[in-house]
């Protein structure tokens, strides 16, 4: 590779989340040193993903077919839809391994400051899914941000009286110590307290 090709690779790697120019240089140098073991297989895998990756037409998950494995699984047809902001949130839920229903990826949240309205994300598609599929519960698993909570309230208004609406609990994380928590987390935990 000429040094301009290496520089181009470093520039492209530096655009990835969590990598700056320095980290990208280190990663590229490591890949070059291990080119037979890492670089060539990585390039092949990236080419394959570039050719086959697509969004699920039903839920917005990323996979290699028009309908993802979760949506096509009969075992996942529980009547529950877990609404998440992004695919990374869906993958986090799947890593936990506790939710056995289907998902709906919004592709963002409502934001007046950024001019993102309901039609800019997949809220209308969610409303259609609730009307056309046998949905018994919509679980809102949105981030505890102002935009996330605004989006959750908007969805709840749109689906009011059509389906049972729930949201993830908020508060003290497992292993968390009160002294290290912010006031908002403590407030949410206190409001969501339950009987023992």
């Amino acid at each position: 590779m000429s040094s301009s090709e290496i520089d181009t690779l470093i520039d492209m790697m530096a655009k990835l989340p969590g990598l700056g120019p320095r980290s990208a240089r280190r990663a590229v140098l490591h890949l070059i040193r291990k080119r037979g073991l890492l670089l060539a297989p990585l390039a092949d895998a990236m080419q394959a993903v570039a050719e086959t990756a697509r969004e699920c037409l039903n839920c917005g998950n990323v996979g290699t077919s028009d309908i993802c494995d979760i949506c096509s699984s009969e075992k996942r047809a529980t009547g529950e839809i877990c609404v998440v902001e992004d695919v990374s949130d869906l993958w986090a839920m799947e890593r936990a391994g506790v939710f056995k229903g289907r998902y709906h990826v919004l592709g963002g949240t409502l934001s007046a400051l950024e001019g993102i309205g309901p039609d800019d994300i997949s809220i209308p598609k969610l409303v259609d899914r609730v009307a056309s599929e046998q949905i018994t519960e919509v679980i809102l698993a949105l981030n505890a941000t102002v935009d996330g909570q605004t989006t959750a309230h908007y969805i709840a208004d749109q689906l009011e009286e059509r389906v049972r609406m729930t949201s993830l609990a908020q508060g003290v994380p497992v292993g968390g110590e009160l002294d290290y928590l912010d006031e908002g987390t403590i407030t949410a935990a206190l409001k969501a307290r339950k009987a023992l």
Side-chain angles (χ1 to χ4, degrees), residues 31-193:
L31 288 170
I32 291 170
R33 286 183 182 146
K34 306 276 186 176
R35 85 184 93 206
L37 185 62
L38 291 175
L39 187 58
L42 177 62
D44 291 343
M46 290 178 80
Q47 182 64 37
V49 169
E51 292 171 1
T52 61
R54 56 186 41 93
E55 280 188 8
C56 176
L57 298 174
N58 195 39
C59 73
N61 189 13
V62 175
T64 56
S65 58
D66 289 335
I67 303 297
C68 72
D69 294 341
I70 294 172
C71 286
S72 61
S73 171
E74 284 302 316
K75 292 179 181 176
R76 303 299 290 253
T78 62
E80 298 173 330
I81 289 183
C82 181
V83 179
V84 294
E85 181 179 328
D86 201 350
V87 174
S88 61
D89 300 325
L90 184 155
W91 290 355
M93 293 289 291
E94 282 297 286
R95 276 194 313 272
V98 293
F99 180 66
K100 302 301 181 196
R102 293 186 175 157
Y103 294 92
H104 187 84
V105 179
L106 292 175
T109 55
L110 299 174
S111 175
L113 291 175
E114 295 178 28
I116 300 172
D119 294 331
D120 298 317
I121 56 178
S122 66
I123 292 176
K125 189 172 187 176
L126 173 63
V127 174
D128 291 345
R129 285 185 71 189
V130 168
S132 64
E133 298 176 25
Q134 294 179 345
I135 305 302
T136 57
E137 180 179 4
V138 172
I139 303 164
L140 299 175
L142 302 176
N143 293 324
T145 61
V146 172
D147 289 345
Q149 297 308 300
T150 301
T151 305
H153 288 296
Y154 181 84
I155 292 170
D157 287 344
Q158 294 299 301
L159 297 176
E160 189 176 16
E161 297 180 18
R162 295 187 195 189
V163 67
R164 180 175 179 230
M165 299 287 301
T166 59
S167 66
L168 295 184
Q170 297 175 2
V172 179
V174 173
E177 297 180 29
L178 290 178
D179 189 37
Y180 294 103
L181 299 177
D182 63 276
E183 292 80 13
T185 302
I186 292 173
T187 302
L190 191 60
K191 287 181 180 177
R193 66 188 182 276

Side-chain angles (χ1 to χ4, degrees), residues 5-20:
E5 290 170 327
I6 294 171
D7 290 340
T8 300
L9 181 56
I10 291 169
D11 290 343
M12 295 301 293
M13 293 283 286
K15 293 178 182 179
L16 295 173
L19 289 182

